Amino acid sequence: MTEPIRVLLVDDQDLFRSGIAIIIDSQEDMEVVGSVADGEQAVRAVDELAPDVVLMDIRMPVMDGVEATRLIFD
């Protein structure tokens, strides 16, 4: 069996992150490895957790998803 796809969730809405986590975790080939509420936390989490996929909201407080993505790929 192959390793599951590691997913980081980034959204400022707790309920949305929880719902998406339930859906992802129900898939046998995927797992949520982290869940954060803003882009600044996302940049740190990507460094720490090395996810395969990041599901990121665009509009968030502190740092938006566009800027966070830019920093992750720099």
Side-chain angles (χ1 to χ4, degrees):
M1 181 175 204
T2 62
E3 294 292 316
I5 298 168
R6 300 166 39 83
V7 180
L8 172 64
L9 302 177
V10 185
D11 194 289
D12 57 326
Q13 299 294 318
D14 291 335
L15 185 59
F16 181 78
R17 288 195 323 267
S18 296
I20 294 297
I22 290 169
I23 293 167
I24 290 172
D25 284 335
S26 72
Q27 307 302 308
E28 62 183 55
D29 60 344
M30 299 176 80
E31 70 175 332
V32 174
V33 295
S35 177
V36 298
D38 63 58
E40 191 174 274
Q41 294 173 352
V43 172
R44 287 194 306 267
V46 166
D47 285 340
E48 294 171 9
L49 302 171
D52 299 313
V53 174
V54 178
L55 296 179
M56 180 140 22
D57 188 10
I58 298 297
R59 294 190 306 176
M60 296 178 288
V62 183
M63 180 187 297
D64 67 34
V66 174
E67 181 63 22
T69 301
R70 192 174 291 125
L71 290 173
I72 289 167
F73 285 102
D74 272 350

